[in-house]
Amino acid sequence: MSKTTGLDRQIDQGMLVKMVMDGFHRIIVHYGVWFAEVQHQIGLEKALKVEEEVWQATLGNQLDRLGKTLGFSTENGTPAFLQTMSQEALLDLIEKISINWLANDGIWFQAVEQRFGMGDAKRCNDTCWTRFSPFEAARIKNLLGLPDNGGVAALKKALAFRMYAFINEQSIEEVSDTCLIFYMNNCRVQAARKRKGLADYPCKSAGMVEYPTFARTIDSRFVTECVGCPPDPHPAEWFCAWKFTLQEE
């Protein structure tokens, strides 16, 4: 019986590069699988708290190790060079990350649609939002240090820090101290379809899980109402609109 340890030193350069990239791929998927299973076993609210603990531990651990190999230093769990970048460069980086996020979402949708049809793609998409939207809200809540019952002020601030906010045009109408209406004035996806002469993508079913779960994660007292979202007709000034109202428990 032969025994091997470590990598085969005879592997060629091209294969080694592929293995590096595939390693990152496996880490990303494994992380997501863990989160999905913890959510399944103990519920979303508890899983979000566990994930926050895991992320803080694993991010610094992985970057410190990679930094020693790739020649960059880390500071408080992040690459130190980020601290020296200009505000303009960081804003550009955040925009590119947000575009990558949206492109990744679209690639997944199209891959499922091409193989299994629009119905299955929409069903997968809508279910993904039941998980991602509260996750994103929890991340923003943690990032900004928002209180559990921050009301309209907290929701207004949180909506400005979504991935969508960095690549779409949106506005908010504060109806009262307990109510606001959010407008997606220009949606990158819908605008692209419009340029191609296509009808609006019917995203209302996704929005009906995306926006309520986001708002309730920011403040559990919010009730969400769809003002309009494709396939609903809408004015030229916005593609979709959502009304959030605080209801005392």
Side-chain angles (χ1 to χ4, degrees):
M1 180 186 299
S2 62
K3 183 178 180 181
T4 60
T5 58
L7 287 172
D8 181 353
R9 300 294 174 176
Q10 303 304 312
I11 299 176
D12 66 60
Q13 181 83 1
M15 177 56 71
L16 288 172
V17 170
K18 290 180 180 179
M19 291 172 66
V20 167
M21 300 311 298
D22 194 62
F24 286 117
H25 187 178
R26 296 184 210 182
I27 290 172
I28 291 169
V29 172
H30 194 206
Y31 190 97
V33 169
W34 256 107
F35 179 74
E37 186 58 23
V38 173
Q39 178 201 5
H40 172 70
Q41 295 290 343
I42 66 174
L44 178 60
E45 185 175 351
K46 292 179 180 178
L48 288 171
K49 293 179 180 178
V50 174
E51 190 279 332
E52 170 62 22
E53 179 182 336
V54 171
W55 179 248
Q56 292 299 324
T58 193
L59 179 65
N61 184 39
Q62 292 189 41
L63 287 174
D64 285 346
R65 188 172 291 109
L66 290 174
K68 292 176 182 177
T69 299
L70 298 177
F72 64 84
S73 59
T74 60
E75 185 176 314
N76 298 322
T78 59
F81 67 82
L82 290 175
Q83 300 293 339
T84 65
M85 292 177 65
S86 68
Q87 183 182 38
E88 182 179 356
L90 285 170
L91 287 170
D92 183 64
L93 179 59
I94 291 169
E95 180 183 358
K96 297 303 186 295
I97 291 171
S98 300
I99 293 172
N100 281 349
W101 164 77
L102 183 62
N104 179 68
D105 181 69
I107 290 169
W108 261 110
F109 190 100
Q110 291 172 18
V112 176
E113 180 186 12
Q114 290 169 5
R115 289 164 176 77
F116 309 109
M118 175 65 78
D120 281 342
K122 281 184 61 63
R123 187 163 58 251
C124 290
N125 178 61
D126 294 358
T127 302
C128 283
W129 277 110
T130 67
R131 298 184 175 95
F132 181 75
S133 193
F135 171 78
E136 184 176 35
R139 295 302 310 140
I140 294 170
K141 196 172 183 178
N142 179 273
L143 179 69
L144 301 179
L146 299 176
D148 287 336
N149 293 303
V152 167
L155 181 59
K156 180 181 178 181
K157 195 168 186 179
L159 287 167
F161 279 79
R162 296 185 67 209
M163 301 288 272
Y164 270 135
F166 303 119
I167 52 179
N168 287 350
E169 296 175 14
Q170 58 190 46
S171 60
I172 289 176
E173 175 188 354
E174 293 189 59
V175 180
S176 69
D177 291 341
T178 59
C179 178
L180 66 79
I181 300 177
F182 171 86
Y183 299 95
M184 189 67 78
N185 302 107
N186 191 25
C187 172
R188 195 180 185 94
V189 172
Q190 301 289 23
R193 293 179 64 86
K194 188 175 181 179
R195 288 194 300 271
K196 296 176 182 178
L198 300 173
D200 290 341
Y201 170 71
C203 55
K204 186 174 182 177
S205 60
M208 290 299 293
V209 292
E210 172 190 350
Y211 286 96
T213 55
F214 185 92
R216 286 198 304 269
T217 304
I218 298 300
D219 189 322
S220 61
R221 299 171 296 170
F222 273 114
V223 173
T224 304
E225 176 187 349
C226 179
V227 178
C229 184
D232 297 340
H234 60 84
E237 291 77 21
W238 50 264
F239 283 99
C240 70
W242 303 86
K243 184 177 182 180
F244 303 97
T245 306
L246 274 178
Q247 289 191 355
E248 295 296 334
E249 297 176 330

